[in-house]
Amino acid sequence: WAVLGTGQIAHDFTIAMLAAPKEQIIAVASRALERSKEFAEKHNVPKAYGSYDEALEDPEVDIVYVAAAVLPRAAGMAALGKKKPVLVEKPAGVNAREVRQLLETAQKNDTFLMEGVWMHFFPVVRALSDAMKRGDIGDITSVHASFGWMNPVDVNPGVEDVTQGGGGLLAVGIYLIHLAMLAFNGAKPEKVEAVGELGPKGGDVRTSMVLGWSGGRQAMLAVSLRDNYAGSAVIYGTKAKISIPFPFLCPTSATVEPYDPKEMPTSISESLPCAEETTNAAGELISNKFNLINSAGLAYEANRVAADVSQGKKENEHVSHELSLAVIEVMDKVREKIGLCYPADKY
């Protein structure tokens, strides 16, 4: 693997891969060689490059993880142009046009591409998906979910900056929509309503959405960069409900709760992968040291991508090209409702 980017998510992905012994990160690249060298030394990565192109030319690189937090589409397209399989951090673009171009590039080059919506690969989520398909909770009627935190703007301004693809919708709202569409078997909502508040850097700092499907089915979703929302989710069916506690987007547990008092609730849980103790050249312990919650679960995603690539697949069944495009199209409609515009929308 080559990791393009040296930020928080690049760190967490690299550390998570310590629990995936069949996979090896052999190169890291950024626009600054010194940053790449520092990252490589800290994370035991053999090669450091001062440009993305150099890493893409490395014949030993089999798969590329685009971890660049700022507008990853260009790096992903460059990798696909070299016929390198790509896992690109979500969102794969800020609008449907960008995502469509990325997907078309993958198809043109007959090369694997997946958007990194890691939620889908947690064992708990897969178990819940199977339970819904079996009809364990009956016909699904509604989804309620939220995620929010009080973003320290002085420490993390980029998450709100439209010039960097910032805003709560693209940062976390994408998971809310993915969860709702998972509950409704991948169907795209027929109605999209939303209200939101834009912050001083242009990104949305509060957004609430109501998505509608036929038969009165609906999802009520909320994201905030100003409030500590519960970060949980409930999927309601005609026979039972599914409760997913914080953090619903990378869960280690959930409960299926039947409405019939004669039936007992079913708990689902799965421990996160845990790597063996590992130190770097400086003697610092690096294993299981993450920036973001439950990042050890990034190994689930990486293992699935590696398996798909080894099997010659061009996309993943759980985060298909069709699904990535459908979700960004929903987000485009939400942005239109709340007046959120990115510089890329003008081109």
Side-chain angles (χ1 to χ4, degrees), residues 65-80:
Y65 173 50
V66 181
V70 181
L71 310 180
R73 183 182 62 95
M77 291 182 71
L80 292 167

Side-chain angles (χ1 to χ4, degrees), residues 224-291:
S224 177
L225 303 180
R226 293 290 183 270
D227 311 283
N228 289 323
Y229 288 170
S232 58
V234 182
I235 300 172
Y236 294 91
T238 54
K239 293 168 53 179
K241 68 178 181 180
I242 292 172
S243 297
I244 312 173
F246 173 88
F248 84 86
L249 57 87
C250 47
T252 57
S253 66
T255 306
V256 179
E257 305 172 55
Y259 301 140
D260 186 341
K262 297 177 183 178
E263 297 184 34
M264 296 296 293
T266 301
S267 296
I268 301 169
S269 63
E270 180 76 23
S271 299
L272 290 167
C274 186
E276 294 182 2
E277 186 173 303
T278 305
T279 58
N280 59 22
E284 300 168 325
L285 181 67
I286 59 172
S287 50
N288 307 307
K289 299 289 184 179
F290 298 104
N291 293 302

Side-chain angles (χ1 to χ4, degrees), residues 37-307:
K37 286 182 176 179
E38 182 181 353
F39 187 97
E41 291 173 2
K42 183 175 180 179
H43 298 85
N44 296 341
V45 177
K47 303 177 184 180
Y49 293 109
S51 73
Y52 299 151
D53 287 343
E54 289 178 89
L56 300 180
E57 293 291 346
D58 189 331
E60 294 185 332
V61 170
D62 301 313
I63 308 177
V64 173
Y65 173 50
V66 181
V70 181
L71 310 180
R73 183 182 62 95
M77 291 182 71
L80 292 167
K82 300 290 185 182
K83 297 190 180 296
K84 299 282 191 183
V86 172
L87 168 62
V88 59
E89 187 51 49
K90 62 83 198 161
V94 300
N95 57 33
R97 179 181 57 81
E98 287 197 343
V99 172
R100 192 176 292 110
Q101 288 176 343
L102 191 61
L103 299 178
E104 289 173 353
T105 301
Q107 292 158 7
K108 177 182 177 181
N109 288 280
D110 194 31
T111 302
F112 179 90
L113 169 69
M114 193 190 84
E115 183 178 25
V117 189
W118 65 322
M119 177 185 77
H120 287 276
F121 303 97
F122 276 74
V124 168
V125 173
R126 299 279 23 108
L128 293 177
S129 177
D130 291 343
M132 289 186 284
K133 289 177 180 177
R134 287 194 305 267
D136 291 2
I137 68 168
D139 296 329
I140 296 165
T141 59
S142 64
V143 178
H144 293 197
S146 68
F147 201 96
W149 72 100
M150 298 178 71
N151 178 55
V153 184
D154 55 334
V155 176
N156 194 16
V159 76
E160 301 183 16
D161 190 342
V162 290
T163 66
Q164 299 185 46
L169 179 65
L170 262 63
V172 177
I174 185 172
Y175 293 114
L176 296 165
I177 298 169
H178 267 273
L179 179 70
M181 290 182 62
L182 176 69
F184 293 119
N185 201 28
K188 190 176 176 181
E190 299 166 10
K191 297 180 181 179
V192 177
E193 298 293 342
V195 294
E197 175 190 351
L198 305 184
K201 292 185 175 294
D204 62 304
V205 294
R206 289 189 183 93
T207 297
S208 296
M209 299 167 272
V210 178
L211 310 182
W213 287 260
S214 61
R217 297 173 297 163
Q218 58 190 260
M220 283 156 278
L221 315 171
V223 59
S224 177
L225 303 180
R226 293 290 183 270
D227 311 283
N228 289 323
Y229 288 170
S232 58
V234 182
I235 300 172
Y236 294 91
T238 54
K239 293 168 53 179
K241 68 178 181 180
I242 292 172
S243 297
I244 312 173
F246 173 88
F248 84 86
L249 57 87
C250 47
T252 57
S253 66
T255 306
V256 179
E257 305 172 55
Y259 301 140
D260 186 341
K262 297 177 183 178
E263 297 184 34
M264 296 296 293
T266 301
S267 296
I268 301 169
S269 63
E270 180 76 23
S271 299
L272 290 167
C274 186
E276 294 182 2
E277 186 173 303
T278 305
T279 58
N280 59 22
E284 300 168 325
L285 181 67
I286 59 172
S287 50
N288 307 307
K289 299 289 184 179
F290 298 104
N291 293 302
L292 306 174
I293 191 167
N294 289 358
S295 279
L298 288 165
Y300 299 133
E301 176 183 69
N303 283 331
R304 186 63 258 169
V305 168

